[in-house]
Amino acid sequence: QVQLVESGGGLVQAGGSLSLSCAASQRTFTFSAYAMGWFRQAPGKKREFVGAISRSGNTNYADYVKGRFTISRDNNKSTVYLQMNSLKAEDTADYYCTARQSWPAFDRVYVEENEYPNWGSGTQVVVSS
């Protein structure tokens, strides 16, 4: 089981920026072999896909964050990042980091919740309007 710890959440004004980090760890672990994702859940709403990055660095984003959010990864630090710019009140949510092992033959971006067996506990982002 991969342990995922998110950080960087907080309160920000609309139009502002936040950068989330997710540090991954496991007893024996090769971070570069994992595809990573970010999901979010707003109060009273279902959890939804935000964006994801493949083991090779390809990315995919939900339409509602495309052009504003950027996912990147640092394999040396076993960390994935979510840079969020031009934040809107509707971006207010708990943000969750996810991970799944990804074999080279299946190197792609994973966008479905049920494709990720490993989840962090989340970090809260509040955007004030």
Side-chain angles (χ1 to χ4, degrees), residues 50-115:
V50 174
I53 186 167
S54 70
R55 59 177 283 163
S56 61
N58 294 318
T59 55
N60 192 345
Y61 300 93
D63 287 343
Y64 36 82
V65 305
K66 200 171 293 183
R68 300 187 297 122
F69 290 12
T70 303
I71 295 175
S72 60
R73 63 188 298 157
D74 186 336
N75 290 338
N76 292 326
K77 296 182 179 180
S78 298
T79 300
V80 64
Y81 304 95
L82 179 65
Q83 177 65 41
M84 305 184 294
N85 298 328
S86 302
L87 282 162
K88 305 175 182 179
E90 50 264 43
D91 294 320
T92 295
D94 291 328
Y95 283 72
Y96 297 89
C97 174
T98 61
R100 65 160 289 146
Q101 196 164 18
S102 176
W103 304 109
F106 299 97
D107 178 23
R108 66 175 178 88
V109 179
Y110 295 85
V111 302
E112 302 293 338
E113 281 190 49
N114 60 12
E115 294 180 306

Side-chain angles (χ1 to χ4, degrees), residues 4 6 22 35-39 51 80 96-100 113 116 118-120:
L4 301 170
E6 302 96 337
C22 172
M36 306 295 294
W38 287 95
F39 290 76
V80 64
Y96 297 89
C97 174
T98 61
R100 65 160 289 146
E113 281 190 49
Y116 288 97
N118 302 291
W119 289 76

